[in-house]
Amino acid sequence: MIRCIGRGIRSRIFPRKATFCSSVDDTAKARSIERKNVLRFSVDRSGLPESMAINEELLGNKEELTPLGKELRTLIQLKGPITLHDYMSHLLNHGIHGYYHSSLDKIGEKGDFVTSPEISQLFGEMLAVWCISIWEQLGRPKKIKFIELGPGNGTLMEDILKVSSRFPDFHNSLHIYMVELSESMQKNQQKKLQCGEMSIENRIKSFRSPLNKNKISWYQFFNQIPIDDTPSIIIAQEFLDVFPVHQFAFTPKGWREKLVDLDTSSDSTYNFRIVLSPNATPASMSLLNKNLYETSELKEGDSVEICPMALATVEDIVKVVAGPGKGAALLIDYGETFTQEDSIRAFKKHKQGSILSEPGLLDVTADVDFGMLSKCAVKKGASVHGATTQGEFLLRMGIIERLKQLIDLDTTSDAQANDLVKSMKMLVDQSHMGNRFKIMSISHNSLQVPGF
Ligand code: SAH
């Protein structure tokens, strides 16, 4: 059935700049694969008064502090080392200098990293096929909440809307909710979706777009969207990896948390360093006791990484899809089905850097722990499908058939056909994004979910 829908999709290549300049091609992979061990840690000596004093002479070989770096330095001087989680949270979400609030180009050739929707329209088309299949199972409702979490440049939503306009009943049922924290990213998305004049009701911004007959609304937080009995489809493509993580190490004295302290030594050019908390912390005491993580098998020297915001988002997703309205969510990200020790990475201009370097100017990301998210969703009463690899999912959804269909078009040039094949391989091949990227669905128990 799904393949039939795939064949019905209007055959057209959406104009997209070829993104295969080698550095971009490499980062799509690298952002998900390389894990240089950038974090070294030592024992926290912040209790000692001299650690407050900064020997300015030693700062000569240090990287120049960014505005956010200066704020973090003051914060740590005043209150002592902060958790890695809080440090990462500042790097990404600080109201003025946080990476996602800045006007820096982030996604695409000119930015720091590239994502699947930016690589090929085939990605959005396969997701559209999935959404139509879920909508059919929901009984072809006249109104559906179509929620995208972290829509980036708006490319995925644009591709889904363009391709699904061929299925008017589905297309007209869509009431689109974009969840985006950053004002500047919201503006990019509104431009991409050709939004016209804005209207504001109850502080919610919505716009008319030529791409859909219903208004498109923007929210900063997912849990601001009211829950009612309208069915929902939720897409979270490279969204869960933006949340800060805690890291804990199992020491002879018990669990200790990784913190960020100032580095005034001459051994490093960075102004910050990772240290271990001298005692248990509130997060180590609460998060390691949640039954989501089996700590009894761990031994001294092991570390774990936990992302509470990803767990909280999954709980919110379950409230929507397993609630009275029913629905399904698709989560796509790089990650594993098990808990890792340290997967934090930083990127700037398609090159990997250190999370201790240039606070606020680098994209900082961590792998998604699909195993833990799956346990959490089941515990809260939803069905979970997968996680499977992105490659397998796209093949099951009919990406090869769609590729052939596009190549066979009279209007497709040889160069376009070559680009289509290259981009399909990039999305599906095990050696590129096909294996490291996983896809998992969380749904109402009554739904049969395709692709798994
Ligand atoms: N889905 C897009 C973008 C991925 S990047 C793609 O695949 O191309 C992550 C996106 O989430 C960006 O749009 C970023 O601005 C947004 N974002 C980051 N932190 C967020 C948060 N806490 N809440 C909502 N959106 C956030």
Side-chain angles (χ1 to χ4, degrees):
M1 180 184 74
I2 298 149
R3 297 244 162 105
C4 290
I5 299 172
R7 277 193 207 104
I9 287 176
R10 178 174 49 198
S11 296
R12 211 184 103 210
I13 299 182
F14 305 138
R16 177 149 315 162
K17 266 201 216 153
T19 48
F20 293 99
C21 103
S22 62
S23 65
V24 174
D25 185 349
D26 288 346
T27 25
K29 256 196 309 178
R31 195 160 174 266
S32 68
I33 296 172
E34 279 180 33
R35 287 182 228 167
K36 278 187 205 154
N37 196 3
V38 287
L39 302 184
R40 293 173 299 132
F41 58 87
S42 53
V43 173
D44 168 23
R45 298 186 197 286
S46 62
L48 304 172
E50 59 267 31
S51 78
M52 291 284 286
I54 292 175
N55 183 344
E56 296 291 339
E57 276 175 27
L58 289 177
L59 300 183
N61 70 335
K62 295 285 182 196
E63 189 181 88
E64 193 180 332
L65 277 165
T66 59
L68 181 56
K70 285 182 188 158
E71 277 197 29
L72 287 166
R73 181 171 74 172
T74 308
L75 183 71
I76 296 171
Q77 278 173 323
L78 288 171
K79 68 175 248 191
I82 55 175
T83 64
L84 186 56
H85 176 276
D86 288 356
Y87 175 77
M88 203 172 156
S89 186
H90 279 95
L91 299 189
L92 295 171
N93 300 327
H94 181 283
I96 299 167
H97 306 302
Y99 178 77
Y100 280 115
H101 286 285
S102 71
S103 54
L104 295 168
D105 275 327
K106 299 175 187 74
I107 310 168
E109 206 173 326
K110 286 197 208 138
D112 300 313
F113 59 93
V114 74
T115 58
S116 297
E118 304 296 327
I119 286 172
S120 172
Q121 70 184 71
L122 288 165
F123 184 79
E125 290 186 353
M126 293 304 106
L127 262 54
V129 173
W130 186 86
C131 293
I132 293 169
S133 168
I134 296 293
W135 171 78
E136 286 193 329
Q137 290 212 34
L138 286 164
R140 304 169 69 93
K142 289 224 154 30
K143 178 177 177 183
I144 193 151
K145 279 186 181 157
F146 188 43
I147 304 170
E148 185 177 1
L149 308 180
N153 292 341
T155 309
L156 178 61
M157 185 56 79
E158 185 194 33
D159 285 348
I160 291 178
L161 290 179
K162 279 184 177 170
V163 82
S164 69
S165 61
R166 174 77 184 211
F167 301 90
D169 289 350
F170 169 72
H171 192 80
N172 293 335
S173 75
L174 298 175
H175 287 249
I176 299 161
Y177 296 76
M178 306 282 268
V179 177
E180 172 58 64
L181 184 70
S182 139
E183 287 277 341
S184 67
M185 294 302 278
Q186 285 193 7
K187 290 209 171 87
N188 293 347
Q189 293 150 17
Q190 285 147 11
K191 195 167 162 207
K192 174 73 92 183
L193 300 181
Q194 304 164 45
C195 286
E197 210 175 305
M198 174 171 75
S199 46
I200 301 186
E201 209 177 306
N202 293 331
R203 289 194 287 162
I204 305 304
K205 289 180 243 168
S206 49
F207 296 80
R208 289 249 169 251
S209 155
L211 301 181
N212 193 248
K213 79 174 182 52
N214 303 312
K215 279 188 180 172
I216 305 178
S217 331
W218 265 263
Y219 290 74
Q220 270 194 304
F221 301 98
F222 175 42
N223 56 15
Q224 289 173 318
I225 302 176
I227 300 179
D228 51 28
D229 55 7
T230 313
S232 302
I233 295 177
I234 303 170
I235 303 283
Q237 145 66 24
E238 284 211 33
F239 176 67
L240 296 169
D241 66 274
V242 302
F243 290 125
V245 295
H246 287 274
Q247 286 185 356
F248 306 100
F250 196 38
T251 73
K253 291 187 197 157
W255 285 105
R256 295 293 180 265
E257 182 163 6
K258 292 187 195 172
L259 309 176
V260 175
D261 194 7
L262 298 178
D263 187 335
T264 55
S265 74
S266 53
D267 331 334
S268 155
T269 55
Y270 303 134
N271 295 283
F272 302 94
R273 64 184 176 130
I274 307 288
V275 298
L276 271 192
S277 66
N279 298 304
T281 60
S284 71
M285 287 187 281
S286 67
L287 284 174
L288 295 168
N289 281 328
K290 274 223 159 157
N291 283 339
L292 287 166
Y293 187 64
E294 194 44 74
T295 47
S296 57
E297 286 169 12
L298 289 168
K299 50 186 189 320
E300 246 176 70
D302 287 344
S303 294
V304 297
E305 184 177 87
I306 296 182
C307 182
M309 288 289 288
L311 289 165
T313 304
V314 161
E315 288 189 9
D316 287 339
I317 288 176
V318 172
K319 280 185 205 150
V320 175
V321 300
K326 299 187 186 175
L330 201 58
L331 317 180
I332 309 142
D333 232 302
Y334 36 78
E336 300 296 346
T337 50
F338 49 84
T339 301
Q340 301 191 65
E341 298 205 332
D342 169 16
S343 72
I344 304 180
R345 301 173 298 281
F347 286 89
K348 187 178 176 187
K349 298 283 167 223
H350 303 278
K351 291 214 167 69
Q352 191 163 350
S354 166
I355 66 155
L356 300 172
S357 175
E358 298 188 290
L361 301 186
L362 278 76
D363 163 46
V364 178
T365 176
D367 273 16
V368 170
D369 181 348
F370 284 100
M372 198 182 280
L373 298 185
S374 165
K375 269 192 204 168
C376 169
V378 169
K379 215 167 134 193
K380 295 285 167 190
S383 285
V384 170
H385 316 269
T388 189
T389 61
Q390 173 165 299
E392 275 179 36
F393 177 87
L394 293 175
L395 290 172
R396 286 193 196 124
M397 296 310 297
I399 195 168
I400 301 280
E401 290 79 352
R402 177 62 178 155
L403 174 74
K404 284 185 187 148
Q405 198 185 46
L406 287 173
I407 290 177
D408 287 347
L409 290 178
D410 294 340
T411 47
T412 305
S413 68
D414 285 354
Q416 281 175 323
N418 269 339
D419 264 358
L420 281 169
V421 172
K422 255 191 193 169
S423 58
M424 190 280 292
K425 282 191 178 158
M426 182 84 178
L427 295 175
V428 168
D429 267 10
Q430 300 270 317
S431 58
H432 290 278
M433 300 166 86
N435 190 41
R436 274 282 289 147
F437 281 76
K438 309 283 187 301
I439 302 200
M440 184 173 104
S441 173
I442 299 175
S443 77
H444 190 273
N445 295 332
S446 62
L447 300 182
Q448 300 279 326
V449 173
F452 296 93

